[in-house]
Amino acid sequence: IHLRNRKMLRIISKNESFAEHSILHPGKIFLVRSCDRDDRFADNPYVRGPPFIKFYCGTPLMVSGHAIGVICVLGFKPGDVSQSECHLLLILARVANNYIMQNLDAIARNRQRSFMPAEGKAFPTGEIANSLPSREISSS
């Protein structure tokens, strides 16, 4: 999904995506200096047509060992990046990963709290518990 000004432009299929290649290289930079001269991307509709991407530099966002996305820079002219620019992109990815993990931890804590009875309250027992619907599961 590509976003611009917080509005979804369109969903991009895997075979059109540069990110699909980036996620294969956790902790590393995936760089394409000239997309129209790279066999993997020369026929890509975003290289051959609008927005005419010529340059791509990205690194995966990793959560618990799984790539969940990519943080990247796109360019409209062929280009290169310096070692310090690559380092900055890796730092930005690490910051984004930490932010995602903190939010996932907060979500997990909130979900856990929503299943716990309020302090001083007990789980339903007796008549209330017996009136809760139940269902037999067969193993056929």
Side-chain angles (χ1 to χ4, degrees):
I1 298 174
H2 273 216
L3 299 175
R4 180 174 290 158
N5 299 328
R6 296 184 180 200
K7 294 180 183 176
M8 184 168 64
L9 294 178
R10 75 180 282 250
I11 296 174
I12 297 175
S13 70
K14 277 185 165 185
N15 59 346
E16 295 174 339
S17 173
F18 289 83
E20 191 68 19
H21 295 271
S22 290
I23 62 172
L24 300 174
H25 308 282
K28 296 182 180 173
I29 296 291
F30 179 72
L31 175 64
V32 183
R33 291 177 178 90
S34 186
C35 297
D36 55 346
R37 293 186 181 169
D38 187 303
D39 291 339
R40 296 169 291 187
F41 304 107
D43 290 330
N44 185 299
Y46 298 103
V47 172
R48 291 177 50 209
F52 299 101
I53 297 168
K54 301 293 182 209
F55 170 83
Y56 177 88
C57 181
T59 189
L61 297 172
M62 304 296 292
V63 173
S64 301
H66 301 282
I68 62 161
V70 172
I71 191 160
C72 66
V73 177
L74 300 171
F76 306 107
K77 296 178 184 175
D80 204 356
V81 291
S82 68
Q83 189 172 5
S84 63
E85 290 169 324
C86 286
H87 183 69
L88 287 173
L89 188 60
L90 290 170
I91 289 172
L92 186 57
R94 199 172 316 128
V95 168
N97 287 337
N98 290 339
Y99 180 78
I100 292 166
M101 288 302 298
Q102 287 172 355
N103 281 300
L104 288 176
D105 289 344
I107 290 167
R109 283 192 304 275
N110 285 337
R111 281 193 180 158
Q112 186 177 18
R113 270 189 238 131
S114 69
F115 290 111
M116 298 295 290
E119 195 171 321
K121 304 265 184 179
F123 283 109
T125 58
E127 194 174 308
I128 295 173
N130 292 334
S131 68
L132 295 175
S134 63
R135 183 172 79 142
E136 227 175 90
I137 300 172
S138 64
S139 59
S140 50

